[in-house]
Amino acid sequence: MTEKYIYSFQKGDGKNKVLLGGKGANLCEMTQIGLNVPPGFVITTKTCLDYLGNHQLPDGLLEDVKAHIGEIETLSGKQFGDRRNPLLVSVRSGSAISMPGMMDTILNLGLNAQTLTGLIEQTGDARFAYDAYRRFIQLFGKVALGIDDQKFDLHFAAVKKQAGIKSDVGLDAEHLRQISELFLQVVLEETGKPFPENVYEQLELSIKAVFNSWMGKRAVDYRREFHITPKMANGTAVNVVAMVFGNMGNDCATGVGFTRNPGTGVNEMYGEYLVNAQGEDVVAGIRTPKPVQELAQEMPDLYKQLVDLRNRLEAHYQEVQDYEYTIERGVLYCLQTRNGKMNATAMVRTSVEMMAEGLISKEQALLRINPELLEQLLHPQLDPENKAQSVAQGLPASPGAAFGKCVFDADTAELMGRAGERVILLREETKPEDIHGFFAAQGILTSRGGKTSHAAVVARGMGKACIAGAEDLQIDVRAHQAIIGDLHIREGDTITIDGSTGLIYLGEIAMIEPSFSEELKILLSWADEFAELEVHANVDTPERARMALSYGATGIGLCRTERMFNASDRLPLVIDMILADNKEARQQALTRLFPIQRDDFKQLFEAMSPYPVTVRLLDPPMHEFLPSEHQLEDDIKALNLYKLMIQGQQVTLETLGLQALLPTPFNYLNEDVINKAIAKKELMLKKVKELYEVNPMLGHRGVRLGMSYPEIYQMQIRSILEAVALCTQQGTPILPEIMVPQVITLQELIKVKSFVDQIQQEVESQYGIALEFKFGTMVETVRACTRAGELAQVAEFFSFGTNDLTQATFSFSREDAENKFLPLYNETGLLEDNPFEVLDAKGVGQLMKMTADSGRLTRPDIKIGICGEQGGHPQSIRFCHHIKLDYVSCSAPRIPIARLAAAHAKLLEDDYRMG
């Protein structure tokens, strides 16, 4: 071979995770810093891509594999396939980015009828040997031969039942021998061939199976869900490692640990172990493990070695590590380490504490946290005032609370999730193939397993509530029910789980908004030190403004005045304004709306003082404030029926002479009142038909409304400026900004500015004070981008409305695109991201850059920001920093994300590439 496809642990570059995968690189690095790692080698990710592309292993690879097996034989003193002193190996996956449980692993490879006999003679422990054999047959059968786990599980359960044994450890050597024979028969029946005896054939098939698992459904789903692109991780490496055994007796154990608590971030020994077990028993949740602290009593010397291993790992990698280990006959081996997947609470706390300890710098503390992770901190928790009694308790595996309808398989969870249902996924233990159910579920509940089980690790990484090891809960997946004593919980029943306490409740429990931790406040204060972009909020009420302030917003980048119009005390006035058939009638409605709008703005300015508040003048088409044509037709039909009932009622009462006895409110709802209601509904229906547009989002909206009905914009401008005057009078420092939407020409801006200038003079004269404010435009049409230099003659600021600008650039209707073809475009790679979530830097971004450059040529001090939904996305924020915008504006819950992302944008600015 001309290309190097294999590296031994002694020679591989521990920093090259792209080539060797995270697991392989770390095994190389741990070996080279002197940790006790079993000997082995890594087959590169490049080999995987070659194999997947050519449908065959590269020429000469198997010969090189044999040569490296020879090196393991030399280091271990054992021989691969040898009857007397057999070498067994594990074959494990490992991509550049950790994807726990998403790809395949095979243990105990090298066992056959001959080596099994040798293993029994070598160890003197037939039970151990047959246990290793049955595990290998099942794993190999599932991974390399594609046989369903259930085919094996049925036989396993039958032998246990026949023997009257509940726990796996109760099986003796003869039971395990029977199970092994039955498993070999399963392989023959399912494949038509006997189980392969040639150990190199086993190894070849396993290498291919691990490579193929890169394109398996669960791995593909995982990469899509977590936006893992080929640039981040492409292909999986294969790690071939000499087996060490934790199941050779009571001086053996296997365990998983984190160098700090991944749920809370507390600096403590954290993990679980099992005596006389193999690694998959811990992570698969087949047996409920013991907390690592108990090892100090069972094996005190080894516990001290484990503490030392934990300290060395964290000091070397300068990151919280998730490590696996095995104790074989009193010797501790480290099998792997990787950066620990933690929830947001733990990531924030460990960042702050590791920086305080001098382990990492402030910059590292910020950069080690994915900004999107902070969204977890804004998930609801159970209301502490709730008095509900829990019905069961498990291990608190991933914090946060969730409620939903019970489902017992991943497929149902996915189907119900797509239908908009909130679901909780219940399983005995989860497996990697359940991953699509995790994506759909609000939370996960298992009856077996511990805090390092598959369910716990994946749920924590997703920020989803999880309870594991709820052993009082009998989960019957086939019957789609869970049993707690006499209580039966069936599919579709609602439960609430609290992943912070492990408590399970029936029904939906009230929840509360979370509060900021002191550690998060410290971390975000560091972010603000580095960030150049300001972070504003898209909010429309004083309450939301105060929330945005508590999250760290430094202004309002978008106040949508139409949101104010939808309140119950304003909507009737807005409807009257729309129904008015002349300017005078419309002005009457606007006169009643004016003081309400003025008070709205005054309260908003006060809430956000002293920061800027950008108020967008009315944008949506008029018809959006009216019921639909279909709804109005139904209302009129119902009113006419009610009118007939009123007439019949009146005739009845008059006939019996009882009209005076009719109680309130029936004495008020007479025929005249019903006729007035019908007349108003008919007028509304007529207006809806008049306002009908083929494509209203490209029709009579935004500044075009201001041109057609100048009195609407004039009322809003007066409301804003009088609110400014009132705040100024009372000494409240404010920075108001008036923003015009949907502008396409300079003439539109000049026209609206003339309204502003006239009303400004009148308000200043009325209140006897000078008003300070800015006037600008939203940039959301392609023509506005091309005429930006001209618009900047009048506009003092630009704010990119990237929702509409994206629709215009792509010629997509967002609703149609997202419901029809956009998922296909993303899945097939026609588009890398949904452009309505992540700013399209190559298209929309280029329009933004052109706009900013042109605007600054005309007005060097022009203020420029973004207020579309993409403004809260970290990748979009990096682009906004790149083109030197002044601020981003996003929904209040995304403000912490945006603050951290703004710091990342500055710290990583030299590495920025649009791709």
Side-chain angles (χ1 to χ4, degrees):
M1 286 188 307
T2 55
E3 185 163 356
K4 191 168 178 63
Y5 286 108
I6 302 180
Y7 293 84
S8 70
F9 292 168
Q10 290 87 354
K11 296 179 180 177
D13 179 1
K15 305 300 182 189
N16 195 348
K17 294 186 177 183
V18 172
L19 183 67
L20 302 182
K23 186 178 297 180
N26 285 336
L27 285 167
C28 293
E29 191 157 349
M30 287 193 298
T31 299
Q32 293 164 32
I33 65 172
L35 297 183
N36 193 25
V37 177
F41 58 87
V42 190
I43 307 175
T44 66
T45 57
K46 175 67 167 57
T47 318
C48 173
L49 297 178
D50 287 355
Y51 168 74
L52 294 174
N54 300 319
H55 307 292
Q56 63 181 21
L57 295 174
D59 292 340
L61 178 71
L62 294 177
E63 288 76 11
D64 203 16
V65 166
K66 286 184 180 181
H68 280 82
I69 287 286
E71 292 182 17
I72 298 178
E73 290 175 332
T74 301
L75 290 167
S76 67
K78 300 177 181 180
Q79 299 295 309
F80 194 47
D82 183 63
R83 181 195 175 284
R84 291 181 303 278
N85 188 22
L87 168 68
L88 305 183
V89 298
S90 63
V91 180
R92 300 171 183 265
S93 62
S95 71
I97 290 179
S98 175
M99 298 165 55
M102 295 305 107
M103 293 176 292
D104 290 324
T105 292
I106 296 174
L107 304 178
N108 307 328
L109 189 143
L111 278 172
N112 57 24
Q114 297 298 314
T115 56
L116 175 65
T117 304
L119 191 62
I120 294 171
E121 293 173 0
Q122 185 186 53
T123 63
D125 189 344
R127 187 198 181 282
F128 156 72
Y130 279 114
D131 189 37
Y133 195 33
R134 64 93 184 172
R135 291 170 187 268
F136 171 51
I137 298 167
Q138 180 166 1
L139 261 178
F140 187 89
K142 174 189 172 184
V143 173
L145 304 178
I147 301 171
D148 193 319
D149 255 339
Q150 193 176 12
K151 303 286 185 181
F152 298 103
D153 291 343
L154 288 171
H155 290 295
F156 193 79
V159 172
K160 283 172 67 176
K161 184 176 181 181
Q162 186 178 16
I165 293 168
K166 291 186 177 180
S167 172
D168 295 1
V169 294
L171 295 167
D172 62 23
E174 178 56 25
H175 295 136
L176 292 166
R177 187 196 65 76
Q178 290 177 36
I179 290 168
S180 299
E181 292 297 329
L182 290 167
F183 282 8
L184 290 171
Q185 187 61 32
V186 167
V187 172
L188 181 61
E189 290 171 356
E190 293 297 315
T191 67
K193 298 178 182 178
F195 190 86
E197 290 285 298
N198 184 302
V199 293
Y200 280 104
E201 181 186 354
Q202 294 174 1
L203 185 54
E204 179 183 353
L205 289 172
S206 299
I207 291 168
K208 289 177 178 177
V210 172
F211 283 155
N212 285 327
S213 70
W214 176 253
M215 294 308 297
K217 183 180 187 302
R218 64 182 190 267
V220 171
D221 285 350
Y222 189 95
R223 293 197 296 274
R224 182 175 62 246
E225 179 73 12
F226 289 101
H227 307 292
I228 298 173
T229 65
K231 291 179 182 177
M232 299 161 67
N234 202 7
T236 179
V238 171
N239 303 283
V240 180
V241 191
M243 285 295 303
V244 288
F245 296 98
N247 59 336
M248 295 177 74
N250 289 332
D251 60 349
C252 303
T254 186
V256 174
F258 286 80
T259 56
R260 301 188 189 217
N261 188 314
T264 64
V266 173
N267 187 2
E268 62 183 2
M269 283 293 288
Y270 182 94
E272 295 166 320
Y273 74 102
L274 284 168
V275 171
N276 196 18
Q278 276 202 302
E280 77 242 35
D281 295 344
V282 178
V283 296
I286 293 167
R287 287 165 54 191
T288 300
K290 302 175 185 179
V292 70
Q293 286 75 13
E294 291 187 19
L295 189 66
Q297 280 71 51
E298 284 198 81
M299 303 178 185
D301 289 341
L302 285 157
Y303 180 76
K304 290 177 184 176
Q305 291 179 40
L306 192 63
V307 171
D308 181 60
L309 171 65
R310 169 238 189 194
N311 293 340
R312 289 181 68 184
L313 286 172
E314 191 167 278
H316 177 77
Y317 286 102
Q318 297 183 310
E319 181 55 271
V320 175
Q321 293 297 292
D322 168 4
Y323 59 99
E324 295 179 17
Y325 59 92
T326 286
I327 298 168
E328 182 184 87
R329 293 184 170 171
V331 179
L332 175 65
Y333 294 90
C334 188
L335 303 186
Q336 78 165 37
T337 191
R338 58 192 173 199
N339 290 348
K341 288 189 179 296
M342 294 176 283
N343 60 35
T345 299
M347 285 296 290
V348 169
R349 178 168 180 166
T350 53
S351 268
V352 172
E353 291 187 352
M354 288 165 73
M355 189 270 178
E357 293 162 14
L359 192 63
I360 58 176
S361 67
K362 196 178 285 189
E363 291 88 342
Q364 287 173 303
L366 293 167
L367 290 173
R368 67 187 286 270
I369 300 177
N370 179 350
E372 291 281 11
L373 196 64
L374 297 187
E375 192 169 24
Q376 291 178 18
L377 297 177
L378 306 175
H379 290 172
Q381 304 292 319
L382 289 189
D383 186 344
E385 298 298 317
N386 108 80
K387 305 299 182 187
Q389 292 295 311
S390 61
V391 294
Q393 184 168 16
L395 299 172
S398 182
F403 70 88
K405 293 181 178 178
C406 294
V407 296
F408 292 85
D409 65 89
D411 292 340
T412 303
E414 185 176 48
L415 286 171
M416 291 179 67
R418 283 178 178 170
E421 298 272 17
R422 299 176 66 93
V423 299
I424 303 292
L425 178 62
L426 281 71
R427 304 285 284 164
E428 287 181 290
E429 75 262 2
T430 63
K431 296 183 178 180
E433 40 268 53
D434 292 325
I435 188 68
H436 56 296
F438 278 62
F439 296 147
Q442 305 299 311
I444 297 93
L445 170 61
T446 70
S447 57
R448 299 207 293 247
K451 295 179 184 177
T452 50
S453 65
H454 173 264
V457 171
V458 175
R460 272 199 302 271
M462 293 183 176
K464 299 200 175 191
C466 177
I467 296 174
E471 295 182 341
D472 292 338
L473 199 66
Q474 297 178 42
I475 295 178
D476 188 336
V477 174
R478 291 186 179 180
H480 293 264
Q481 68 174 3
I483 302 169
I484 310 167
D486 296 330
L487 177 65
H488 287 62
I489 301 173
R490 295 180 171 82
E491 189 153 276
D493 291 347
T494 296
I495 64 169
T496 298
I497 64 172
D498 186 347
S500 302
T501 63
L503 295 173
I504 304 161
Y505 303 85
L506 292 181
E508 178 184 340
I509 306 298
M511 299 189 186
I512 58 169
E513 293 292 324
S515 58
F516 268 25
S517 68
E518 285 304 312
E519 289 86 2
L520 180 58
K521 290 176 183 176
I522 291 168
L523 185 87
L524 291 177
S525 72
W526 295 346
D528 294 342
E529 290 174 20
F530 290 99
E532 292 181 355
L533 281 166
E534 292 183 13
V535 178
H536 296 184
N538 296 345
V539 296
D540 318 299
T541 66
E543 295 75 25
R544 298 295 289 181
R546 283 187 280 271
M547 177 189 288
L549 274 176
S550 72
Y551 289 163
T554 54
I556 293 177
L558 177 62
C559 167
R560 293 152 287 210
T561 51
E562 61 272 10
R563 300 282 180 94
M564 300 171 171
F565 283 173
N566 284 319
S568 58
D569 60 335
R570 300 100 191 275
L571 190 56
L573 299 178
V574 175
I575 290 173
D576 286 347
M577 174 190 75
I578 295 169
L579 296 180
D581 57 1
N582 57 64
K583 184 175 180 180
E584 290 70 25
R586 191 157 43 251
Q587 189 61 57
Q588 287 179 9
L590 290 169
T591 300
R592 287 183 290 162
L593 259 178
F594 163 70
I596 299 173
Q597 278 263 278
R598 180 188 59 200
D599 291 346
D600 286 339
F601 294 133
K602 180 174 180 288
Q603 291 176 40
L604 197 62
F605 295 154
E606 289 170 338
M608 192 48 71
S609 173
Y611 297 114
V613 176
T614 305
V615 180
R616 182 179 72 184
L617 299 178
L618 188 64
D619 181 38
M622 291 289 200
H623 74 86
E624 287 196 8
F625 297 102
L626 297 174
S628 69
E629 183 175 343
H630 180 71
Q631 179 64 51
L632 287 167
E633 287 171 344
D634 286 348
D635 289 350
I636 293 167
K637 184 178 179 181
L639 284 168
N640 279 313
L641 287 172
Y642 192 54
K643 179 179 173 181
L644 287 173
M645 289 173 59
I646 292 290
Q647 290 172 343
Q649 181 178 270
Q650 192 64 31
V651 170
T652 302
L653 292 170
E654 287 174 357
T655 301
L656 299 176
L658 298 175
Q659 56 266 53
L661 301 179
L662 195 66
T664 304
F666 300 103
N667 59 355
Y668 173 73
L669 290 176
N670 54 45
E671 194 171 341
D672 288 342
V673 173
I674 301 301
N675 283 333
K676 287 180 182 177
I678 291 171
K680 185 163 187 177
K681 290 287 186 181
E682 287 177 340
L683 183 59
M684 290 167 70
L685 179 61
K686 179 185 175 186
K687 180 60 72 171
V688 164
K689 291 179 177 178
E690 286 176 4
L691 294 174
Y692 170 77
E693 294 177 294
V694 174
N695 194 335
M697 296 313 291
L698 298 178
H700 202 183
R701 58 173 291 210
V703 70
R704 300 183 278 281
L705 285 174
M707 298 299 98
S708 302
Y709 308 108
E711 57 274 15
I712 297 176
Y713 270 22
Q714 287 165 348
M715 181 277 289
Q716 288 197 299
I717 293 164
R718 187 174 295 276
S719 300
I720 295 166
L721 295 184
E722 286 206 17
V724 172
L726 291 169
C727 287
T728 304
Q729 270 189 343
Q730 66 190 30
T732 303
I734 58 172
L735 295 170
E737 300 179 346
I738 298 173
M739 181 164 69
V740 187
Q742 292 292 320
V743 166
I744 57 172
T745 72
L746 175 63
Q747 287 68 32
E748 289 169 328
L749 265 190
I750 291 172
K751 183 73 172 176
V752 178
K753 186 63 165 61
S754 71
F755 302 160
V756 172
D757 292 343
Q758 177 62 38
I759 295 167
Q760 179 183 359
Q761 288 181 16
E762 294 169 5
V763 172
E764 286 180 340
S765 174
Q766 179 183 346
Y767 286 87
I769 52 176
L771 302 180
E772 296 288 335
F773 62 93
K774 286 183 180 290
F775 177 80
T777 183
M778 206 163 179
V779 178
E780 49 195 329
T781 67
V782 175
R783 193 176 195 280
C785 294
T786 65
R787 307 303 297 159
E790 190 177 52
L791 297 178
Q793 295 173 22
V794 175
E796 296 170 278
F797 67 89
F798 289 161
S799 179
F800 290 106
T802 46
N803 298 340
D804 279 348
L805 187 56
T806 298
Q807 290 194 110
T809 304
F810 278 87
S811 192
F812 284 174
S813 155
R814 177 173 186 174
E815 290 76 12
D816 292 328
E818 291 187 329
N819 290 327
K820 300 273 185 4
F821 58 85
L822 195 50
L824 171 69
Y825 268 54
N826 293 146
E827 287 169 14
T828 57
L830 294 170
L831 280 175
E832 188 170 309
D833 298 297
N834 179 342
F836 297 105
E837 295 174 357
V838 182
L839 186 68
D840 166 43
K842 295 179 181 178
V844 176
Q846 295 312 297
L847 289 172
M848 292 171 63
K849 185 177 187 306
M850 176 182 74
T851 302
D853 291 345
S854 299
R856 288 173 181 138
L857 280 174
T858 300
R859 188 186 292 267
D861 63 345
I862 192 168
K863 177 181 173 181
I864 306 178
I866 177 176
C867 62
E869 283 181 44
Q870 298 93 332
H873 192 282
Q875 189 175 321
S876 308
I877 289 170
R878 287 196 71 183
F879 176 78
C880 293
H881 174 87
H882 176 66
I883 63 170
K884 302 190 182 310
L885 297 193
D886 296 295
Y887 69 90
V888 297
S889 190
C890 56
S891 62
R894 292 195 69 84
I895 288 167
I897 298 168
R899 289 170 68 190
L900 182 55
H904 279 208
K906 175 60 180 175
L907 292 170
L908 300 172
E909 63 184 353
D910 292 340
D911 300 325
Y912 181 75
R913 301 287 184 276
M914 280 190 289

